[in-house]
Amino acid sequence: MSEAILDVKNLTVAYEGGGRSSRALNDISFRIERGKVLGIVGESGSGKSTAAMAVLGLLPGGAKPSGQVLFKGQDIYAKSPEERRALRGREISIVFQDPFTSLNPSIQVGRQIAEPLILHKGMEEKAALQEAENLLREVGITDPARTAKAYPHQLSGGMKQRALIATALACDPELMILDEPTTALDVTIEAQILDLLEALRVKRNLSMMFISHNLGVIARLADEVCVLYAGDVVEYGPKETVLGPGHRHPYTKGLLASLPKLTDRRDRLFPIPGRLPDLSQTIPGCIFEARCPFACKGCGQPQPLQAVGADHVSRCWRSLELADVPWRADDAEGGVAAHSTREHQPGGEMLLEARDVVKRFTVVSGLPALKFDASGGGFPLRYEPVSLRAVDRVTLSIRQGETVGLVGESGCGKSTFGRCLIRLIEPQGGEVLLRGEDILSASPGRHRALMQEAQIIFQNPDSSLNPRKTVREILARPIRLFGIAEGAEVDRKVDELLDMVRLSPRYASRYPHQMSGGEKQRVGIARALASKPKFIVCDEAVSALDVSVQASILNLLADLRDELNVAYLFISHDLSVISHIADRICVMYRGGIVELGPTERILQPPYHPYTEALLSAVPFIEKGARQRERIRLAGSVTGSTEQIVGCRFQDRCPRKLGGICETVTPPARSSAEGHEILCHIPLEELSGYESVLEPLERRA
Amino acid sequence: MALPSMASAPRRRPLPASLVWGAGIFAFVLFIAVAGPFLAPFDYDQMNILKRMQAPSAVHWFGTDEFGRDVFSRVLYGARLSIAMGIGATMISLAIGVPLGLIAGYYRGWPEEAIMRGVDVLISIPPIMLGLLILAVTTPSVWKSALAVGVIYVPIMVRLTRSVCLEVMGEEFVEAAKARGERGWYILFSEILPNAWPPIIVETALRVTFAIMLGAALSFLGLGVQPPASDWGLMIAEARPFIHQAPWIAVAPGIALVITVIAINLLGDGLREILDPRMKRDRL
Amino acid sequence: MFGYLLQRLLYIFVIVAVMSVLIFWITQIMPGNVAYMILGDFAGMDQILALEQKLGLHDPIHVQYWRWAQGLLQFDLGDSLIMERPIAPILFDAIGNSAILALSSIGLVALVGIWLGVYSAIHHGKAGDHIVSLATYVTLAVPEFFWCVLLIILFVGYLGWFPATGYTSLSEGFFVWAQHLILPVVALVMGLMAHVSRLTRSSMLEVMHSQYVLAARAKGVPEGLVIRRHALRNALLPTITVLAIDVGVLMGGIVVVETIFSYPGLGRLLIFAIQQMDVPLIQACLIVVTIVYAVANLLADILYTFLNPRIRYGSSVNG
């Protein structure tokens, strides 16, 4: 065994507060060897961030750690606080999840990077600032001098995260902790950052503790993987084993089964039922027992970690016995298990047609739009209001029972477009026909009637339900409003709706705060269904949920679609989720569609260079899936304030042809019925690109 | 984050001590304000030259003033006008400010522009000046100083209501209501207002204390309550020439005022704790 | 940034203009006959009418306003009816005296208030924090005029350290001058200091829990430096806004305190003018107060801009 940089032994952390004690970490042990990367994976509440803080010696006031954290053989908790501080930033450094709040807003970026150099290495300020620029160059910033003098608000999210990585690298630390470093970023930026970390790791022989909820991200970088559940290590071993077919613990099985995958488009996912146990209570037996489909008599005993292979441990006594049994769990959550038996058949009558929808937002107006400019001669004051073209002449049609996925990076206008379709946002131009009738020009009365048929499901379960109303009140309102039922009938309808979203009728009397995220999302879905709509916009409807919950909501949405023959516009930044549920995919960039077609066609060449880049940015865990060629986009999306001339994507396109892309609007090239690519590159050439994914198996 | 505090609002927890104490003392002061004349051992303007400026004793708990009137009785009487002025002024600012704030927040566009620009002008008047301006040109009286103080706090109520309204409007459940084609008044009263009132109530408590103090200051300057009626501010003003010989005449009503204000502050803090823990205190 | 400052400047101009109309309009409907006040009790009706004619009191109100506003722009504030002297010099003396009070108070409020707030934030939950919090809680509930009364009872009557009222100019010696200043300033600052300290405490606590302060600690920055370099500057931003608002509260306090201590400043002049129904003097005092308050707000804006790079430098530049 080679030298361990970090050796955590029996670390337990409990938070005390309000007379209660709640365990965040329960007797966990792991080690990181020099030059290796340990991936720590877990859903919210698993204690993974507490582990990072414990290693740094920065646990908040109410936290009580016990056990040992050996850094290069010495227990950091045996050291004085001053010695621990001297360790931080010099030998152990960290990159946090949210680059938007981790930089001090009132200090220049260069100075923030230089700070540890001055503190720990005693460098002169000038030399330290110079070194900061070198570090910025090393983390791939093209104009380090200018960036160093910038304030954080002037940088994009990706650049901020690079600056934070530069800060963490400054003193050439022995151990770098990365706490969800890409979670707040777009998938293309995430790919850039992961590439950077991979390169740095090799170049500097860095040891890393990499924390993430995203199995794909962990799979990219980790050598070993430690799976945390409710503060316990449930499985720990080499990456290939734990994230591959060799995984043994039921929770790991569940996590992998809940994940929608680009290469394996099964009809159903297999989520983990139930929710995290209450960590202020002592759980006598297996911590996962309550949610485990394999639970049986022996699970009431405390589960020790047991060896299940070379360097591979699992906290389940049935690990070996269940080795080849796949995860199959019902997705009923506190209610009735039901499963649609109807086959999904998209493509009925035309339901909704959007033509040339345009939405501009005024960004700068009034006095701030007055620009002082004496250079140009003439009167030095000019009025220059700025408006952002969020949606720029988008045309899309959706058939009955069809699911159209809308994908793109943040800021591409996908949510705005979705809201325009149901007139939650009033577009400036175009028309939206619902069964041939224009929603946008409808009279107020007619508009209300049309709203019955077109509904929306939101992203954030905490925000989508009125906290002052019970579930019954929330669901009864649309039932009464649209005259679907009256009197006592309303209550029966509410129960019916709850049943539809697999919640038991006792949920009717609950307030939103008495439910979990997944349950709230189900109520949100029920509310959208209450008016019996034929079209629903799902705006990032599963993005805020943990993987296991996300899977059950995706299953529910698919079932409802088949039962009720509703059409979805499914908006998401996550291509895996989109490709799992969508019949057709629409790829948006800077307010416009760049590619539109059946899901299978979108995932294979010929595709738009932007689609190609999105696909190759997705981090995969599946065995067999490989990204043959990594296409990386530089920079990030910028909103367009002017009329776009030429191709929308030309500013970042890795396959840009030249002048023609800047001046001529690209033609729609069609490879097959219903598949369009807006690109100047001829179809034959686009078809010739190597596929990012392995050829897909057809949907079962 | 979406209203996490409100989500946990209806949970049953022991009431905060500040709420219990604040509400208790304030209820007591309110009781005195209503029942003062019946509780007072003496009539508030019963003069007795022989008993001028007597120090506090068993008969005259807070001593007597320059006319031999019982200070304790006068403090009890004074509670009524002081509290009435504070609450009255705050009600005026609520009655004008909250609807304007809701309109500005919900309807946006030109109504918002008009309201907010008006608010900007009003807020640029230093608080006491508007009172002075109104009272300078007319004969002072209680309701006028309540009106003046109330108007001063209208802009603060408008700004607060509007910002809370905007915050709630960003929530997805309001969008859901719009997606159902709900009418404006329904969204305003059924979806927004129930979530907007906690910070407004907390602010109201804070405003009452400011209004009581400002009202007392105006009375003190002779621009509020007129003799022979009296509130705590005027009592202190009238006692001023004698503070060296008989400090209790000024100190007693002052302490009554301070205790009342502290009680309402405690009440406000307690309310904030159970209604809206996120809200910052010390907002003006 | 240019647009922003221009906007603020324009704004202040508009507000002063609107306020001048409001002040003029309200004071003009004031009961009390100007001509009568000038001429005294023994004037005949025809004399009064003639003087009113001469003063332009029969003109439409907007003509009168315009005449007044024009004078205002040329620093001609008219004559006081009671003192029968031009207002401008009287006013300038008063402003000077009040400025001494106001500036020393606001300086004290800023320094001590911020220090107390920061102190209790970094000693959060300890004895020092509890003492400061309790003291500010009580202090906040005491109005200025009661502070005055308490201070006079204690320091003038009981201890006899300070003179009760009045003002002496600096030329008569620093000690005597300061003696007359200390009690009014203390009475003015107590409540505001408590207010600023509570606000600074809460914004400091918020900043100390922010992600970037955690990030600074994770870099191994010593706690003292974390507070000074990383927390303080960001925590002071909301305090600046509140200081500007507190200037308004301070002006109210000045009126009360100057009246009680017979301090010859703007506040006492205003109350005097109101009691004497001296309309031109009231108008002049009120417009000065409005301008001072507007300028204080402008200064706060500029300071805020200076400390906040978000406004100082435009937003995102991608590289």
Side-chain angles (χ1 to χ4, degrees):
Chain A
M1 223 186 252
S2 72
E3 182 205 356
I5 287 287
L6 182 73
D7 196 354
V8 173
K9 287 182 176 162
N10 310 101
L11 177 66
T12 297
V13 177
Y15 288 107
E16 317 264 337
R20 292 179 6 143
S21 161
S22 154
R23 270 167 300 118
L25 288 175
N26 191 16
D27 194 22
I28 67 163
S29 304
F30 56 83
R31 52 184 271 136
I32 300 172
E33 284 161 23
R34 187 176 290 279
K36 295 288 184 195
V37 177
L38 173 69
I40 296 186
V41 79
E43 295 183 283
S44 43
S46 64
K48 52 193 193 302
S49 290
T50 305
M53 288 298 131
V55 170
L56 272 175
L58 274 181
L59 286 168
K64 294 244 154 49
S66 67
Q68 285 183 308
V69 177
L70 303 175
F71 179 71
K72 294 203 290 188
Q74 289 186 308
D75 188 357
I76 69 157
Y77 283 99
K79 293 172 186 275
S80 72
E82 190 51 28
E83 284 169 328
R84 272 207 296 277
R85 181 189 66 71
L87 220 54
R88 287 198 293 269
R90 182 193 184 95
E91 301 203 61
I92 309 176
S93 63
I94 185 164
V95 177
F96 289 107
Q97 166 172 354
D98 189 355
F100 299 91
T101 56
S102 297
L103 284 166
N104 190 325
S106 60
I107 300 180
Q108 287 171 336
V109 171
R111 289 184 183 277
Q112 300 195 46
I113 300 171
E115 200 172 13
L117 291 169
I118 299 169
L119 270 170
H120 296 301
K121 294 200 161 170
M123 279 171 90
E124 293 288 321
E125 182 164 318
K126 215 176 153 198
L129 285 173
Q130 187 54 49
E131 179 61 22
E133 285 184 24
N134 295 340
L135 285 160
L136 280 171
R137 190 171 295 115
E138 190 181 346
V139 296
I141 297 247
T142 41
D143 188 353
R146 215 174 103 217
T147 307
K149 289 198 178 62
Y151 284 90
H153 75 276
Q154 295 170 300
L155 306 182
S156 66
M159 285 170 82
K160 282 184 198 158
Q161 198 58 306
R162 284 173 195 270
L164 285 161
I165 292 172
T167 317
L169 285 175
C171 292
D172 211 0
E174 303 264 6
L175 173 69
M176 196 158 151
I177 303 172
L178 298 131
D179 187 1
E180 303 256 13
T182 59
T183 305
L185 305 171
D186 262 317
V187 64
T188 56
I189 311 297
E190 172 178 84
Q192 292 170 14
I193 298 288
L194 291 177
D195 287 350
L196 169 70
L197 290 172
E198 217 164 23
L200 284 171
R201 180 202 163 182
V202 174
K203 190 174 149 207
R204 294 197 172 214
N205 193 28
L206 273 171
S207 318
M208 294 182 180
M209 175 172 162
F210 195 107
I211 297 165
S212 182
H213 72 285
N214 186 328
L215 296 167
V217 169
I218 292 278
R220 274 278 312 267
L221 273 159
D223 299 305
E224 286 190 300
V225 174
C226 173
V227 183
L228 283 185
Y229 176 77
D232 268 349
V233 175
V234 293
E235 186 161 7
Y236 184 21
K239 171 181 76 180
E240 291 73 21
T241 324
V242 176
L243 297 183
H247 62 267
R248 290 292 173 261
H249 195 276
Y251 177 63
T252 319
K253 286 185 189 202
L255 271 186
L256 289 165
S258 334
L259 213 58
K261 297 174 189 71
L262 273 172
T263 45
D264 173 21
R265 299 183 51 233
R266 292 164 304 172
D267 273 349
R268 294 189 68 77
L269 301 164
F270 298 103
I272 305 173
R275 55 160 109 173
L276 208 64
D278 180 357
L279 293 178
S280 59
Q281 309 292 324
T282 336
I283 294 146
C286 168
I287 196 142
F288 190 58
E289 185 188 358
R291 301 174 72 182
C292 182
F294 309 117
C296 64
K297 248 184 176 172
C299 297
Q301 302 298 317
Q303 298 291 314
L305 277 173
Q306 48 179 261
V308 288
D311 295 331
H312 183 194
V313 288
S314 163
R315 197 180 287 278
C316 175
W317 68 286
R318 298 182 72 194
S319 290
L320 293 172
E321 174 195 341
L322 294 169
D324 299 317
V325 186
W327 177 269
R328 280 280 184 279
D330 238 320
D331 46 337
E333 201 160 311
V336 215
H339 195 296
S340 167
T341 45
R342 271 194 47 192
E343 189 76 358
H344 172 53
Q345 284 168 330
E349 272 175 64
M350 185 60 72
L351 181 69
L352 184 116
E353 291 173 270
R355 292 197 194 122
D356 291 320
V357 174
V358 174
K359 178 67 197 176
R360 285 184 301 269
F361 290 110
T362 308
V363 193
V364 185
S365 70
L367 277 172
L370 274 183
K371 292 280 177 306
F372 185 79
D373 180 17
S375 60
F379 192 62
L381 276 182
R382 235 166 290 146
Y383 184 63
E384 293 172 357
V386 180
S387 67
L388 189 75
R389 291 164 181 269
V391 177
D392 193 16
R393 289 162 294 150
V394 174
T395 298
L396 180 70
S397 55
I398 299 172
R399 293 179 177 278
Q400 272 182 12
E402 188 185 32
T403 302
V404 175
L406 185 55
V407 72
E409 292 167 275
S410 52
C412 73
K414 53 190 192 303
S415 278
T416 309
F417 177 63
R419 281 166 163 74
C420 285
L421 291 189
I422 57 170
R423 211 174 149 187
L424 255 183
I425 289 177
E426 206 76 42
Q428 274 103 0
E431 50 186 13
V432 177
L433 306 178
L434 187 68
R435 290 216 184 88
E437 188 177 350
D438 191 4
I439 295 181
L440 302 183
S441 58
S443 68
R446 195 63 205 132
H447 173 231
R448 245 183 283 274
L450 287 169
M451 284 302 92
Q452 181 173 354
E453 303 218 39
Q455 278 297 314
I456 179 166
I457 298 168
F458 297 96
Q459 167 173 9
N460 191 339
D462 290 320
S463 158
S464 64
L465 305 180
N466 190 336
R468 306 259 166 223
K469 294 187 175 183
T470 63
V471 169
R472 184 178 304 286
E473 288 167 329
I474 289 168
L475 296 181
R477 177 66 194 177
I479 294 173
R480 291 210 180 87
L481 185 73
F482 294 113
I484 290 170
E486 273 169 29
E489 188 72 349
V490 174
D491 280 355
R492 219 178 46 76
K493 283 279 173 200
V494 168
D495 291 347
E496 244 179 65
L497 281 170
L498 286 173
D499 188 54
M500 230 185 247
V501 296
R502 328 289 185 237
L503 287 174
S504 84
R506 61 197 158 84
Y507 279 80
S509 55
R510 295 201 183 172
Y511 282 95
H513 74 271
Q514 297 167 314
M515 295 185 285
S516 72
E519 288 162 352
K520 280 186 254 191
Q521 201 62 340
R522 283 168 195 267
V523 175
I525 294 170
R527 177 181 58 196
L529 291 173
S531 63
K532 301 188 174 169
K534 283 293 160 210
F535 171 64
I536 298 181
V537 175
C538 303
D539 186 11
E540 302 271 10
V542 296
S543 306
L545 307 169
D546 269 323
V547 183
S548 55
V549 182
Q550 168 181 309
S552 63
I553 299 292
L554 279 174
N555 281 347
L556 173 67
L557 286 170
D559 289 347
L560 290 169
R561 171 189 63 194
D562 301 346
E563 283 164 33
L564 307 169
N565 199 29
V566 287
Y568 294 139
L569 179 73
F570 200 97
I571 301 170
S572 178
H573 65 279
D574 187 337
L575 251 180
S576 311
V577 168
I578 289 266
S579 66
H580 172 78
I581 196 162
D583 304 307
R584 285 194 296 147
I585 293 181
C586 172
V587 183
M588 236 176 132
Y589 188 78
R590 288 180 81 188
I593 293 176
V594 293
E595 184 172 0
L596 172 66
T599 303
E600 296 81 4
R601 297 230 165 245
I602 297 285
L603 300 179
Q604 292 293 315
Y607 35 47
H608 192 279
Y610 180 58
T611 315
E612 184 184 19
L614 279 182
L615 276 170
S616 54
V618 178
F620 289 97
I621 65 153
E622 300 99 297
K623 194 167 179 290
R626 58 194 170 104
Q627 284 147 305
R628 288 198 181 129
E629 192 178 358
R630 287 218 171 107
I631 309 274
R632 288 295 179 258
L633 297 184
S636 53
V637 187
T638 47
S640 53
T641 50
E642 284 136 45
Q643 176 82 46
I644 290 176
V645 188
C647 174
R648 294 174 192 284
F649 188 49
Q650 54 92 6
D651 61 333
R652 286 170 85 201
C653 184
R655 300 194 184 272
K656 187 174 166 183
L657 294 174
I660 188 171
C661 297
E662 291 165 19
T663 49
V664 182
T665 307
R669 302 187 188 276
S670 184
S671 77
E673 177 73 33
H675 183 205
E676 283 186 355
I677 304 169
L678 271 77
C679 185
H680 285 293
I681 303 171
L683 212 53
E684 302 75 55
E685 202 183 323
L686 289 172
S687 309
Y689 296 159
E690 213 178 347
S691 172
V692 173
L693 306 171
E694 296 263 316
L696 297 175
E697 293 152 38
R698 292 287 301 176
R699 194 183 263 238
Chain B
M1 274 295 256
L3 308 175
S5 56
M6 303 192 176
S8 61
R11 194 174 301 158
R12 283 197 186 84
R13 263 179 284 148
L15 290 175
S18 54
L19 182 73
V20 176
W21 279 99
I25 300 172
F26 185 56
F28 180 68
V29 175
L30 270 184
F31 172 70
I32 285 174
V34 175
F38 308 102
L39 300 174
F42 297 91
D43 197 30
Y44 79 102
D45 58 354
Q46 183 195 332
M47 300 189 198
N48 188 342
I49 301 300
L50 295 174
K51 287 173 137 192
R52 288 183 73 223
M53 294 197 266
Q54 285 188 350
S57 64
V59 183
H60 298 287
W61 291 2
F62 293 169
T64 59
D65 68 3
E66 71 275 20
F67 298 113
R69 298 176 294 195
D70 180 48
V71 176
F72 178 67
S73 301
R74 288 180 63 76
V75 168
L76 292 190
Y77 274 93
R80 181 175 285 191
L81 283 178
S82 281
I83 303 281
M85 205 145 66
I87 293 182
T90 310
M91 288 305 135
I92 290 170
S93 67
L94 267 182
I96 305 175
V98 170
L100 286 179
L102 286 176
I103 291 170
Y106 186 74
Y107 289 100
R108 317 299 304 272
W110 69 264
E112 182 185 24
E113 273 302 304
I115 292 170
M116 295 322 286
R117 294 299 79 81
V119 160
D120 285 339
V121 172
L122 263 183
I123 217 161
S124 65
I125 309 173
I128 208 169
M129 291 306 153
L130 195 66
L132 292 180
L133 193 59
I134 293 179
L135 301 168
V137 296
T138 56
T139 23
S141 73
V142 186
W143 71 267
K144 274 182 204 154
S145 49
L147 183 71
V149 173
V151 170
I152 288 165
Y153 293 141
V154 164
I156 291 164
M157 280 297 171
V158 174
R159 282 191 175 177
L160 175 74
T161 311
R162 172 175 166 273
S163 77
V164 175
C165 179
L166 286 179
E167 194 182 328
V168 179
M169 271 172 58
E171 302 285 333
E172 288 169 350
F173 62 80
V174 175
E175 271 196 283
K178 286 183 185 161
R180 291 198 297 269
E182 297 278 11
R183 288 168 209 282
W185 62 264
Y186 174 85
I187 297 179
L188 209 47
F189 288 99
S190 191
E191 303 282 354
I192 295 178
L193 207 53
N195 290 292
W197 64 260
I200 295 175
I201 286 195
V202 172
E203 181 67 24
T204 300
L206 186 63
R207 280 306 124 202
V208 171
T209 67
F210 278 84
I212 288 179
M213 289 206 276
L214 196 53
L218 287 174
S219 290
F220 180 84
L221 291 173
L223 298 169
V225 178
Q226 296 299 305
S230 193
D231 74 340
W232 295 333
L234 185 60
M235 277 181 76
I236 298 174
E238 288 174 337
R240 212 152 59 82
F242 315 102
I243 49 177
H244 297 308
Q245 301 99 300
W248 53 85
I249 314 177
V251 173
I255 287 178
L257 181 68
V258 171
I259 287 176
T260 307
V261 170
I262 290 179
I264 303 173
N265 273 331
L266 282 172
L267 180 66
D269 284 353
L271 282 174
R272 188 194 53 212
E273 217 167 292
I274 56 168
L275 292 175
D276 186 7
R278 287 167 313 148
M279 211 178 114
K280 295 280 163 308
R281 186 66 182 196
D282 302 312
R283 105 159 80 197
L284 252 173
Chain C
M1 168 146 164
F2 169 78
Y4 175 75
L5 281 183
L6 187 77
Q7 186 183 12
R8 299 304 307 168
L9 212 67
L10 202 71
Y11 203 59
I12 278 173
F13 181 78
V14 170
I15 277 172
V16 171
V18 171
M19 279 303 293
S20 72
V21 173
L22 205 66
I23 289 168
F24 190 81
W25 179 67
I26 291 183
T27 48
Q28 231 32 36
I29 55 172
M30 199 159 137
N33 185 313
V34 176
Y36 176 81
M37 289 178 85
I38 295 173
L39 294 171
D41 290 343
F42 305 106
M45 201 59 207
D46 49 339
Q47 273 178 295
I48 290 177
L49 275 175
L51 187 67
E52 277 181 352
Q53 200 71 45
K54 197 178 141 217
L55 290 174
L57 295 180
H58 297 291
D59 293 339
I61 189 143
H62 66 269
V63 177
Q64 292 187 45
Y65 169 75
W66 189 236
R67 200 158 43 223
W68 177 70
Q70 273 178 326
L72 208 62
L73 289 173
Q74 295 155 16
F75 293 100
D76 173 13
L77 301 167
D79 288 355
S80 159
L81 296 181
I82 301 299
M83 293 184 264
E84 295 177 1
R85 276 163 43 200
I87 289 173
I90 305 175
L91 204 59
F92 284 134
D93 280 351
I95 291 173
N97 292 339
S98 287
I100 295 171
L101 265 191
L103 290 178
S104 43
S105 298
I106 205 77
L108 212 60
V109 165
L111 276 176
V112 182
I114 289 170
W115 185 84
L116 277 176
V118 171
Y119 174 86
S120 48
I122 58 185
H123 294 89
H124 180 53
K126 301 205 178 101
D129 177 32
H130 289 312
I131 292 169
V132 172
S133 294
L134 191 70
T136 52
Y137 210 94
V138 175
T139 309
L140 213 50
V142 183
E144 286 98 355
F145 64 89
F146 193 51
W147 274 125
C148 296
V149 168
L150 289 178
L151 289 171
I152 289 175
I153 290 174
L154 183 65
F155 290 103
V156 180
Y158 189 68
L159 295 170
W161 290 355
F162 299 101
T165 56
Y167 170 81
T168 56
S169 76
L170 194 52
S171 57
E172 286 169 49
F174 178 80
F175 183 72
V176 193
W177 175 77
Q179 243 188 348
H180 283 91
L181 217 56
I182 287 176
L183 288 188
V185 168
V186 171
L188 274 176
V189 299
M190 291 303 280
L192 293 180
M193 226 153 60
H195 183 232
V196 168
S197 132
R198 289 183 78 79
L199 183 102
T200 308
R201 175 179 178 273
S202 69
S203 76
M204 190 72 186
L205 279 179
E206 193 180 316
V207 170
M208 291 299 278
H209 285 109
S210 72
Q211 188 71 27
Y212 59 81
V213 162
L214 182 65
R217 290 186 177 134
K219 281 195 279 192
V221 180
E223 199 57 24
L225 211 53
V226 168
I227 291 162
R228 266 178 288 138
R229 187 186 294 165
H230 290 272
L232 202 52
R233 187 165 173 170
N234 296 299
L236 285 188
L237 285 177
T239 307
I240 290 169
T241 317
V242 161
L243 273 176
I245 296 170
D246 277 353
V247 170
V249 181
L250 184 73
M251 288 175 156
I254 280 185
V255 173
V256 172
V257 169
E258 286 184 353
T259 308
I260 297 176
F261 286 98
S262 305
Y263 184 95
L266 192 57
R268 199 170 73 121
L269 191 64
L270 178 57
I271 294 292
F272 170 80
I274 289 174
Q275 282 165 348
Q276 303 296 323
M277 294 286 178
D278 191 340
V279 178
L281 192 56
I282 294 176
Q283 289 168 342
C285 287
L286 287 176
I287 198 78
V288 164
V289 166
T290 308
I291 291 170
V292 170
Y293 190 46
V295 169
N297 275 298
L298 180 69
L299 287 178
D301 272 346
I302 291 171
L303 193 60
Y304 192 90
T305 310
F306 180 72
L307 284 177
N308 190 349
R310 261 170 236 257
I311 305 181
R312 196 162 15 129
Y313 302 96
S315 63
S316 126
V317 196
N318 272 297

